[in-house]
Amino acid sequence: MDHESPLPDWDRLAALDDASVPLLGTALLIARDEYPDLDPCQYDGVLQRHVAQLRPRIEAIPLWPLKMLAINEYLFDEVGYSGNHDEYYDPRNSYLNEVFERRLGIPISLALVQMEVARRLGMPLDGVSFPGHFLVRLPVDDGLLVMDPFNRGRPLDVDELRERARPHVGGNAIDDHVLQQILHPASHRAILTRMLRNLHGVYAERGDWARAVRCADRVLKLLPEDAEALRDRGLGYLQLDYRRGARQDLGRYLLLAPDAPDAPAVREYLIEASTDPGRLN
């Protein structure tokens, strides 16, 4: 994000290809929904200071894995970024301004800080939408260096990666081909939608339906035909007594995913949105 640039426009993001969706700018745009006075230049400046501190060290190190070790030691040991193990579902862990301020986050928000710093130092660090916890990956001469940002950037070997993924693929053994697919780099759009889905889950669990709807709506700004987000927004609208919006979204969901496992339940909700006289139009 250029220091002079404003945050991106929600209404223009859907038209951008994945590579053109600004990762930091859109993450701060998500945060500005909750913190309307947020100054994006302030947090870009935090990143610039991290990079300025690290650049002399990184330039003196020849090998990428050792460069990455120095970045992790700086971010997690010196600056003090860490995974919020005690309050994992605190929504502040997903708002990037709070992550910068509190030095606390969840895997994906810490990964975003790690990625932005590393990339500004010339390191092609990517995110990985790994099942369970989000990870990061760096190409090295003999393959990939995969790290866990929630645990101070700790490297993960192949055996641990297989064990972590196994419960999420039906408990089946994971061969090299499947693991390679799982470790595919996540696009900016995929990272941002995962952040929003995390927030949606937190707010829905709390019954904060206005914020849950907002998160689903923001997913749809990135992916206008996303069936899951349409369902989530429609169900949230139903909780907020907005029948017309619920009908539109749930009906669209059923058109896009008529054979989804939850389709029968969604049809029941659609009937409720269409017939309950207590609901608002």
Side-chain angles (χ1 to χ4, degrees):
M1 182 176 65
D2 185 84
H3 191 73
E4 299 292 329
S5 298
L7 294 179
D9 185 337
W10 277 119
D11 292 327
R12 296 182 180 179
L13 289 172
L16 299 178
D17 61 78
D18 280 332
S20 299
V21 174
L23 184 58
L24 175 65
T26 311
L28 290 171
L29 191 62
I30 291 169
R32 199 172 66 173
D33 279 338
E34 189 67 18
Y35 302 90
D37 296 328
L38 177 151
D39 177 6
C41 293
Q42 175 183 346
Y43 301 106
D44 185 70
V46 172
L47 283 171
Q48 297 283 39
R49 288 191 290 276
H50 291 339
V51 170
Q53 287 290 324
L54 277 164
R55 192 176 299 281
R57 308 183 201 184
I58 297 305
E59 290 178 348
I61 299 172
L63 301 176
W64 278 9
L66 296 180
K67 290 178 186 283
M68 199 66 233
L69 177 63
I71 292 171
N72 288 341
E73 286 178 345
Y74 171 80
L75 290 176
F76 298 112
D77 295 340
E78 295 182 37
V79 181
Y81 288 100
S82 64
N84 193 344
H85 294 264
D86 295 331
E87 295 181 300
Y88 189 88
Y89 296 104
D90 186 329
R92 291 178 294 178
N93 296 328
S94 293
Y95 291 121
L96 210 59
N97 60 319
E98 289 281 9
V99 176
F100 284 127
E101 297 282 356
R102 302 167 70 232
R103 305 288 196 259
L104 286 172
I106 55 175
I108 195 167
S109 57
L110 294 170
L112 199 151
V113 174
Q114 203 180 9
M115 290 164 60
E116 285 290 326
V117 170
R119 288 174 174 183
R120 293 179 188 211
L121 290 164
M123 307 279 288
L125 190 66
D126 284 317
V128 177
S129 285
F130 203 79
H133 280 183
F134 197 86
L135 303 174
V136 294
R137 50 167 273 175
L138 180 74
V140 293
D141 289 340
D142 56 350
L144 289 175
L145 174 61
V146 181
M147 293 161 284
D148 181 357
F150 193 61
N151 289 291
R152 300 159 56 107
R154 182 172 70 84
L156 304 173
D157 63 24
V158 170
D159 290 337
E160 184 171 356
L161 289 167
R162 287 197 175 106
E163 285 306 307
R164 283 189 177 208
R166 184 192 295 267
H168 301 279
V169 294
N172 299 318
I174 297 172
D175 62 24
D176 290 344
H177 177 68
V178 172
L179 185 60
Q180 188 176 30
Q181 289 182 315
I182 293 173
L183 292 174
H184 190 76
S187 70
H188 288 185
R189 187 175 262 105
I191 293 169
L192 295 161
T193 55
R194 183 160 170 165
M195 292 181 75
L196 286 162
R197 293 194 208 280
N198 287 340
L199 278 166
H200 174 271
V202 168
Y203 288 132
E205 181 67 23
R206 295 180 173 195
D208 188 341
W209 295 107
R211 285 184 169 88
V213 162
R214 182 181 71 196
C215 293
D217 181 73
R218 294 317 195 189
V219 173
L220 290 164
K221 294 293 188 183
L222 289 160
L223 295 167
E225 292 296 293
D226 187 83
E228 181 181 342
L230 282 165
R231 178 202 62 200
D232 291 344
R233 189 175 68 176
L235 294 175
Y237 280 156
L238 193 58
Q239 293 289 335
L240 294 171
D241 293 342
Y242 177 37
R243 276 204 300 168
R244 183 172 59 186
R247 288 196 301 269
Q248 290 174 346
D249 282 355
L250 297 179
R252 183 66 180 154
Y253 172 73
L254 292 171
L255 286 173
L256 292 171
D259 299 320
D262 64 353
V266 171
R267 289 189 184 95
E268 292 297 320
Y269 285 118
L270 183 57
I271 291 170
E272 179 185 349
S274 301
T275 61
D276 186 348
R279 303 281 179 188
L280 300 178
N281 292 318

